[in-house]
Amino acid sequence: MANEKHKNSSDLIKDIIIGVSDGLTVPFALTAGLSGVVNTNHLIIVSGIAEIAAGCISMGLGGFLAGQSESDHYESLSNNEYHEVEVMPESELQEVEDAFLEMGVDPDLSKKVAIQISRDKDRWVDFMMKFEIGLEKPIKNRARKSGVNIALSYLFGGFIPLFPYLVTHDNSTGLLWSCIVTIIALMIFGYFKSKVTGQPLVKGTLKVTSIGIVAAAAAYTLAKLVS
């Protein structure tokens, strides 16, 4: 139970990182680019909201499909393992025993534990999936939860660079405050992302922040050149 809670927490953090990372960067680049070619906030706001909506759907659907594919892949391999323990139990039992031997367990004890595990077919297959194939059983409804988590995280991240345009009267002021607010948000996000992923804090923070700045600067410059 504790392991499942830990995995749930890890998966949630991973989803938030994916959603917020793109949510901060893509709308920031879009609104910055539009600021270089339009004179009013209205088009920037409408375009930003449309992009955030599209991004939420796209990212959420992508997260759902990725989770669904993971579950389908696990189920397919699991069914294959059930078939193998039915048609070739001796060979599969030996694989369990070999797994314990590789862990440094005494040969006699490895054989006894392997026999004990083989008495429960579900436990036997779970063991083979984890230690032979190297796959953990996906958490129930993981695909749906992942899709929702990523979509909401993208929504949260996306409104940060857009919000200044909603409360200012011209695009120049909106762009200025959007840059200030988003760069601060990128630094905070980069710091916490680095902390939870074990990366060097300063390097990770600067990396995330610089990616957002470069994307926005490139979009703004390109829009200016094209116009």
Side-chain angles (χ1 to χ4, degrees):
M1 189 69 177
N3 184 56
E4 184 172 339
K5 286 182 179 179
H6 177 73
K7 194 170 188 302
N8 264 316
S9 177
S10 298
D11 288 338
L12 175 61
I13 291 172
K14 183 172 70 174
D15 292 340
I16 291 174
I17 288 174
I18 292 171
V20 174
S21 180
D22 280 11
L24 280 171
T25 305
V26 179
F28 183 35
L30 173 69
T31 53
L34 288 174
S35 296
V37 294
V38 298
N39 296 319
T40 64
N41 283 357
H42 180 70
L43 181 58
I44 297 173
I45 293 170
V46 172
S47 299
I49 291 174
E51 195 288 322
I52 292 171
C56 285
I57 295 171
S58 176
M59 294 290 292
L61 185 59
F64 172 79
L65 292 176
Q68 192 65 54
S69 296
E70 181 183 344
S71 296
D72 292 342
H73 179 59
Y74 184 92
E75 185 177 354
S76 175
L77 293 177
S78 178
N79 290 336
N80 186 60
E81 285 297 322
Y82 273 108
H83 175 71
E84 288 183 355
V85 299
E86 283 283 353
V87 299
M88 51 179 87
E90 296 83 4
S91 174
E92 293 297 298
L93 184 62
Q94 185 60 51
E95 289 181 5
V96 176
E97 187 177 340
D98 291 342
F100 283 112
L101 288 172
E102 289 179 6
M103 296 176 193
V105 180
D106 180 83
D108 290 336
L109 183 57
S110 295
K111 190 175 187 66
K112 291 178 182 178
V113 176
I115 293 172
Q116 182 70 32
I117 289 176
S118 67
R119 290 174 181 169
D120 185 328
K121 192 176 293 184
D122 292 333
R123 186 177 296 171
W124 190 357
V125 170
D126 285 344
F127 182 91
M128 298 301 290
M129 291 295 295
K130 184 179 293 185
F131 294 98
E132 181 193 17
I133 300 177
L135 290 178
E136 291 276 354
K137 187 175 183 179
I139 296 172
K140 187 178 180 182
N141 296 325
R142 165 63 186 152
R144 179 177 57 80
K145 291 177 181 177
S146 179
V148 172
N149 292 338
I150 292 175
L152 291 178
S153 299
Y154 189 96
L155 178 67
F156 172 77
F159 265 104
I160 291 176
L162 182 63
F163 180 74
Y165 294 97
L166 296 169
V167 295
T168 55
H169 299 291
D170 62 272
N171 66 323
S172 297
T173 306
L175 176 61
L176 174 63
W177 281 105
S178 179
C179 289
I180 293 172
V181 170
T182 307
I183 289 172
I184 292 173
L186 284 166
M187 293 177 67
I188 294 172
F189 172 69
Y191 174 82
F192 283 104
K193 178 184 176 183
S194 301
K195 198 165 186 177
V196 300
T197 57
Q199 297 179 23
L201 294 180
V202 175
K203 182 180 178 180
T205 301
L206 292 176
K207 181 180 178 181
V208 171
T209 306
S210 62
I211 289 173
I213 293 174
V214 169
Y220 181 86
T221 303
L222 182 61
K224 277 287 189 182
L225 291 173
V226 171
S227 65

